[in-house]
Amino acid sequence: GRGGGAGTSCSAAARRAPTPCCTCCAAASTSGKSRGWFLATPGTYCARRSGARPVCGSILPFKLAFTNALLRSDSILGAFKALERAGYLGRLTLDHEPVQCRGALIRTADLHLLRTVQDVVRLGRVTAVRPNRLELEKGTMPLEPGSLLVDCTACGTGGYTANYDVWSPGHIRLSSNLTLFNPSHSSALVAYIETTSTDAAAKNKFIAHSAASPLLVVDGSPNFHGHLSQLVQGVYSELKTMRAIQAHGKKSFNFYFAARTNYVAPCHVPLRKTLWVMFGPARLDKKATRLMRKIERVGFEDMP
C-alpha cells in the first residue's frame, strides 16, 4: 500500500473525527512471526488510557493542556513533546521526531504493544509489491515465500483544504475547518450562518480561510497532510470562527455552544464543568485569545 506519514494525534475527545491517515504496512511470514513495520513518516498517536469509549468532556482537559503547551513553547514541536511527557501523546517509535498530526487515537496499552515490534523499515512509501520483494521509494526489501502483507494505510484527511471562499454567489462549498476534527459541527455552523446572515461577503467573515487568505498551506501544497503547523493553523481557524460567532450576538453563540454536534455542548458535558474550565482559575477562554494572537504573529520558530 501507499499513503502519507503516520500522524501525531490530537485529543481522545476527537472520537468522532474522520478516519485518520495511518501509513504503515505490516509484514509477517507464514510462521506467524511478525517481520516488522514499514513506516513512511515518523509520527505520534494520542494516548487514551482506558479501553472505554471516551466521553466528549475529555476534550476540555486536552484543550487546556494543548493551549498551555503552545503558549509556553517557542516551537510547535516543543509543545508536542510537552504533551507527550504529560501523557496526552505517544510516539510509535521514539528514535525519530514526530512531523505530522492527523488526529489518530490509540489506547496507551495498544501503543506499548505496537512498540514491541523491533524491525522498523524507513525507506519511504511502498511503490510496488512483487512476489519476492517489496519496492519502496528509497530501496527494496526481500520477502520470504508466503509472506503476508497488511496494508494499514488510509487517507481520511488528505482532501482537506482551506484555500477557498465557502460562500460565493449561488454556491456553498462546505468547510471542515470551522472546528478542528469535527466536520459535523463545522457543517452545522455553515448551515446556521447561511440562515442567519445576508450576503456572501458577510457570511465569509465567519470563516478564517478564503481564496485571498488561505490556511494549511505548507511547502506550496494546500492539502492537509498532517504537518504539525497545519494542526496549529486548524486551531487558529476554530478560534477565529468561534470569536466571530460570539461577536455576532448571544443567539448565534448559543447555537455554537449548545448544538449537539459540539463536543462540549451541555448535552455532553455538564455546563458548570465547561464554565469552570473556560472562566475559572484555568482561564481557558483568555488563553485561547492569547494563543490566537501568538499564531497571528507567527510566534513559533518552526511555523512556515
Side-chain angles (χ1 to χ4, degrees), residues 107-124:
R107 293 187 307 164
T108 303
D110 291 334
L111 180 60
H112 291 324
L113 184 62
L114 288 175
R115 286 174 177 169
T116 63
V117 177
Q118 299 298 315
D119 186 8
V120 179
V121 177
R122 295 185 179 278
L123 294 175

Side-chain angles (χ1 to χ4, degrees), residues 1-2 125-130 134-139:
R2 69 185 189 91
R125 295 176 175 85
V126 176
T127 58
V129 178
R130 308 299 181 191
L134 195 65
E135 296 180 359
L136 302 101
E137 291 176 321
K138 301 176 183 178

Side-chain angles (χ1 to χ4, degrees), residues 228-245:
L228 297 187
S229 68
Q230 288 181 315
L231 179 68
V232 174
Q233 291 179 57
V235 171
Y236 173 76
S237 179
E238 177 178 324
L239 292 174
K240 286 283 287 186
T241 295
M242 183 183 71
R243 293 302 190 218
I245 290 178

